[in-house]
């Protein structure tokens, strides 16, 4: 491990003194260690204690982890996070692949402009996005207004106050944010496929659908991996969106793990349990990203 | 490949459709921001209500929130980018014991969600008196940006020309002079991308300022907006104007330097 940097090419030693590299690392390690690594270790420690945030703490072993898997509300929150993966990742990926495949069939003038627009939701603060969508979903908001104007008045509902529709409504905001990113990613990947591959496929008598599965899809495996990694992490750690639009409501129909961590630690004062939920969430994130990257690299 | 006019037309229809889907919700909030604050104002008419922004600035106290955001963003960008350049330099160019394990530690920070450490972080910072201070809000975000920044700068230094470094070394330049006088000036595009991404992440961050400043002493712009939404319930014009104000700084920078944002976020996605 000691010379892990591109063996053979980067074997430079800029200075004869061995401590020099560590001196360059020191400031980063200090800030990173104190404000990120150390708190992670502390989170593991916290998760073995019962503590209300003020008084004495008592060691409870794995009790908090047992509670994570027995607490109906926490399990429900994780369930919601998995539903959000569909809206944040699967749906954008399906749309992104389809749209990019259609666009990739010919060169499009002005693509740069459209790319800038499609990517825009990625740079707007999620809180702003959430405020905008709250207005759209409001009982007398744009969505219900449009439905009434189209003569579909019986479909109107309080979109963020309905036990069935609120989670999908929140999820669709995620779809809105992620789809442009995925389209841009897929376009970049598909743009690198040599034209000859398509011509060869056409000579073999492939139609556009076969072409898509035989040529396009295998070529963008790497981009699919990146898209899934980014969007699934975003789905699993959704916080701002839920905090601003629903606060987990109505009832508990849109709670998510991050929101539960915040609520348990800072509103209810069940600090050990909140830390345990954080650890479990982290393990879920690392597991899923590892699996996706393993599958993606197998090609 | 021969392309029919029909195919070309389909492309534009698809692109325009998705552009409208993206711009629709943004259009809604912008038009609300320029709309009348109340029904009585609406009767007077008067086109675009620019005064909403001034009112939000004062009534919504966005002047205060934006100032906090600027200070926090400045601290995070300066600390994170400086530390990342130095650490990326070591990882990218130098050979030393433990570099593999240390770099893996930094990669961990890119993947670990804030939720993993926010709880103990708050209580530990509270016991050393850093909560409700600019530093308490800024330093954890600097740490998170250092994880990505080190990864990003290492990639730049690894792609830099070894010949130039060797030549400078033969001229007797030390490692720090090579960094400051050759590699940093040459790496301006990579560094600019890092500055922009760090600025955007910090400006838009919600959870850390929410938790680290429970008293509201350091309320950054997104937090101020969420707070304003809960407080101010007379109409939506000022809320929408506030939302536009919060989004505007990043969007303006994005419009001018969009290449950096897009390439940074796409190339920066960890694939190791």
């Amino acid at each position: 491990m000691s010379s892990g940097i591109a063996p053979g090419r980067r074997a430079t030693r800029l200075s004869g003194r061995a401590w020099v590299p560590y001196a360059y690392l020191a400031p980063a390690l200090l800030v990173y260690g104190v404000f990120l690594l150390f708190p992670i270790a502390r989170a593991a420690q916290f998760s073995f204690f019962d503590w209300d945030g003020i008084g004495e703490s008592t060691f409870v072993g794995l009790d908090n982890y047992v509670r994570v898997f027995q607490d109906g509300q926490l399990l429900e929150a994780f369930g919601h996070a998995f539903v959000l993966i569909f809206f944040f990742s699967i749906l954008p990926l399906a749309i992104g692949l389809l749209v990019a495949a259609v666009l990739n069939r010919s060169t499009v003038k002005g693509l740069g402009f459209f790319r800038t627009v499609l990517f825009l939701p990625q740079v707007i603060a999620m809180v702003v996005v959430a405020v905008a969508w709250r207005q759209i979903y409001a009982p007398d908001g744009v969505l219900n207004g449009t439905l009434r104007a189209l003569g579909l008045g019986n479909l109107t509902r309080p979109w963020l106050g309905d036990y069935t529709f609120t989670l999908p409504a929140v999820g669709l905001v995620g779809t809105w944010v992620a789809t442009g990113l995925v389209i841009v990613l897929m376009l970049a990947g598909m743009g690198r496929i040599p034209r000859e591959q398509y011509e060869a496929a056409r000579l073999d008598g492939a139609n556009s659908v076969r072409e898509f599965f035989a040529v396009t899809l295998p070529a963008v495996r790497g981009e699919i991996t990146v898209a899934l990694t980014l969007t699934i992490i975003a789905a699993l750690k959704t916080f701002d969106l839920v905090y601003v639009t629903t606060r987990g409501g109505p009832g508990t129909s849109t709670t998510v793990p991050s929101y539960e961590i915040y609520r348990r630690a800072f509103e209810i004062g069940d600090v050990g349990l909140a830390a345990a939920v954080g650890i479990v969430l982290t393990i879920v994130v690392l597991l899923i990203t590892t699996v996706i990257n393993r599958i993606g690299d197998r090609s | 490949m021969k392309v029919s006019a029909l195919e070309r037309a389909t492309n534009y229809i698809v692109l325009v459709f998705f552009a409208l889907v993206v711009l629709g919700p943004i259009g809604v909030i912008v038009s609300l921001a320029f709309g009348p604050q109340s029904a009585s104002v609406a009767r007077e008419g008067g086109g675009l209500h620019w005064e909403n922004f001034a009112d939000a600035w004062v009534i919504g106290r966005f002047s205060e929130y934006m100032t906090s955001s600027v200070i926090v963003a400045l601290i995070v960008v300066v600390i994170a980018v400086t530390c990342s350049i130095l650490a990326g330099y070591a990882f990218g160019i130098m050979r030393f014991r433990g570099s593999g394990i240390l770099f893996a530690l930094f990669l961990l920070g890119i993947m670990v969600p804030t939720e993993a450490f926010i709880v103990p972080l708050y209580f530990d910072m509270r016991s050393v008196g850093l909560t409700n201070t600019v530093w308490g809000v800024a330093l954890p975000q600097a740490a998170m940006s250092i994880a990505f920044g080190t990864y990003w700068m290492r990639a730049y230094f690894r792609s830099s020309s070894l010949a130039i470094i060797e030549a400078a070394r033969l001229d007797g330049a030390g490692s720090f002079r090579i960094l400051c006088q050759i590699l940093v000036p040459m790496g301006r595009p990579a560094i600019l991308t890092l500055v922009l991404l760090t600025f955007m992440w910090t400006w838009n961050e919600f959870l850390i300022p929410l938790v680290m400043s429970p008293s509201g002493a350091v309320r950054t712009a997104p937090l101020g907006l969420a707070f304003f939404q809960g407080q101010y319930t007379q109409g939506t014009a000022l809320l929408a104007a506030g939302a536009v104000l919060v989004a505007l700084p990043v969007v303006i920078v994005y419009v001018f330097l969009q290449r950096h944002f897009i390439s940074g976020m796409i190339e920066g996605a960890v694939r190791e």
Side-chain angles (χ1 to χ4, degrees):
Chain A
M1 287 301 260
S2 64
S3 60
I5 295 169
R9 198 173 94 78
R10 291 276 141 168
T12 322
R13 228 186 240 278
L14 276 171
S15 162
R17 282 158 302 189
W19 54 266
V20 170
Y22 303 102
Y24 281 107
L25 281 182
L29 263 181
L30 180 72
V31 178
Y32 181 68
V34 171
F35 294 97
L36 208 146
L37 287 180
F38 177 69
I40 292 178
R42 288 279 282 163
Q45 186 192 5
F46 271 46
S47 70
F48 296 116
F49 287 84
D50 182 32
W51 189 38
D52 62 2
I54 307 156
E56 291 292 300
S57 60
T58 33
F59 182 78
V60 291
L62 290 169
D63 257 21
N64 286 325
Y65 290 95
V66 174
R67 284 174 65 201
V68 172
F69 292 98
Q70 285 177 344
D71 186 318
Q73 277 193 34
L74 288 177
L75 291 179
E76 196 190 352
F78 275 99
H80 295 155
F82 284 106
V83 173
L84 289 183
I85 288 180
F86 171 78
F87 288 100
F88 279 61
S89 308
I90 311 297
L91 198 54
L93 182 63
I95 299 172
L97 277 171
L98 186 68
V99 170
V102 169
L103 294 177
N104 192 47
R105 295 172 62 82
S106 61
T107 46
V108 184
K109 280 197 193 111
L111 192 61
F113 167 77
F114 286 107
R115 189 165 45 216
T116 309
V117 171
L118 290 176
F119 204 80
L120 190 58
Q122 290 291 322
V123 306
I124 298 176
M126 195 48 126
V127 176
V128 174
V129 170
V131 165
W133 280 89
R134 248 180 81 114
Q135 298 305 324
I136 293 169
Y137 286 142
D140 53 356
V142 179
L143 180 56
N144 282 341
T146 313
L147 286 173
R148 273 186 217 107
L150 292 172
L152 298 167
N154 54 335
L155 290 180
T156 59
R157 44 175 50 79
W159 295 98
L160 295 178
D162 182 297
Y163 279 86
T164 316
F165 287 96
T166 304
L167 188 59
V170 170
L172 280 173
V173 179
T175 312
W176 180 79
V177 171
T179 302
L181 167 78
V182 179
I183 294 178
V184 171
L185 254 171
M186 294 305 142
L187 277 176
M190 290 181 196
R192 277 193 290 270
I193 304 174
R195 288 282 151 203
E196 297 79 51
Q197 286 193 23
Y198 286 107
E199 274 156 28
R202 282 194 185 180
L203 284 177
D204 287 346
N207 59 19
S208 2
V209 177
R210 283 238 327 256
E211 217 176 84
F212 176 76
F213 285 105
V215 180
T216 313
L217 207 51
V220 293
R221 265 185 102 125
E223 281 75 15
I224 294 175
T225 310
V226 171
L228 284 178
T229 309
L230 288 175
T231 53
I232 289 179
I233 292 180
L236 288 175
K237 50 189 269 195
T238 303
F239 179 80
D240 332 10
L241 183 58
V242 165
Y243 185 91
V244 173
T245 52
T246 67
R247 297 241 173 177
T252 55
S253 62
T254 58
T255 54
V256 286
S258 304
Y259 188 69
E260 284 297 308
I261 292 170
Y262 175 77
R263 205 171 63 91
R264 307 272 171 151
F266 304 114
E267 286 176 0
I268 295 177
D270 201 342
V271 178
L273 180 66
V277 178
I279 298 282
V280 172
L281 179 67
T282 306
I283 291 170
V284 171
V285 166
L286 293 180
L287 263 181
I288 291 184
T289 49
T290 309
V291 168
I292 291 170
N293 283 285
R294 279 279 153 76
I295 297 172
D297 285 344
R298 203 171 289 160
S299 52
Chain B
M1 199 189 299
K2 238 178 122 58
V3 185
S4 67
L6 180 72
E7 238 171 28
R8 194 159 286 164
T10 316
N11 280 351
Y12 283 107
I13 293 168
V14 169
L15 278 174
V16 168
F17 171 78
F18 279 96
L20 288 177
V21 170
V22 165
L23 291 175
I26 298 171
V28 167
I29 202 81
V30 171
S31 68
L32 282 174
F34 280 107
Q37 283 179 31
S38 66
S40 56
V41 177
R43 273 193 295 278
E44 293 163 20
L48 298 178
H49 294 269
W50 289 95
E51 74 275 9
N52 292 348
F53 294 95
D55 289 351
W57 190 257
V58 178
I59 299 171
R61 298 171 69 187
F62 279 97
S63 55
E64 191 185 303
Y65 306 145
M66 303 277 269
T67 311
S68 294
S69 270
V70 169
I71 296 169
V72 170
L74 265 178
I75 296 174
V76 174
V77 167
V78 169
I79 292 180
V81 173
T82 310
C83 290
S84 301
I85 291 174
L86 295 174
Y89 185 45
F91 282 125
I93 304 261
M94 299 172 192
R95 198 173 63 164
F96 53 95
R97 287 180 73 83
S99 65
I101 288 172
L102 285 171
F103 186 64
L105 268 184
F106 280 93
L107 282 184
L108 180 74
I110 305 180
M111 285 179 282
V112 165
T114 321
E115 289 79 358
F117 55 90
I118 188 85
V119 174
L121 185 66
Y122 167 75
F123 289 103
D124 285 344
M125 302 274 267
R126 190 182 67 179
S127 52
V128 295
L130 273 175
T131 46
N132 295 314
T133 68
V134 194
W135 297 102
V137 174
L139 288 172
Q141 297 189 68
M144 291 168 71
S145 291
I146 283 174
F148 173 82
T150 299
Y151 164 80
W152 179 256
M153 290 316 299
R154 169 183 175 266
Y156 158 68
F157 286 115
R158 284 184 65 164
S159 71
S160 62
S161 159
L162 210 57
I164 295 177
I165 300 170
E166 285 298 327
R169 216 158 59 100
L170 288 176
D171 284 347
S175 65
F176 193 66
R177 246 186 75 194
I178 293 177
L179 176 67
C180 295
Q181 296 188 348
I182 300 171
L183 293 174
V184 165
M186 268 171 40
R188 267 182 312 214
I191 295 171
L192 177 61
T193 302
L194 182 59
V195 167
L196 294 175
L197 290 179
T198 308
F199 165 69
M200 175 182 76
W201 287 327
T202 310
W203 188 273
N204 292 348
E205 173 65 34
F206 188 72
L207 183 58
I208 289 183
L210 173 74
V211 170
M212 289 303 152
S213 181
S215 78
V218 188
R219 197 170 271 153
T220 58
L223 233 67
L225 180 63
F227 182 72
F228 189 53
Q229 177 175 258
Q231 288 271 301
Y232 185 83
T233 44
Q234 305 101 301
T236 53
L238 291 195
L239 177 65
V244 171
L245 286 175
V246 172
L248 211 55
V250 180
V251 171
I252 289 175
V253 180
Y254 169 73
V255 167
F256 286 104
L257 298 164
Q258 43 95 11
R259 268 170 193 286
H260 284 274
F261 282 88
I262 297 177
S263 74
M265 286 177 72
I266 285 177
E267 287 163 27
V270 183
R271 298 216 60 240
E272 295 251 333

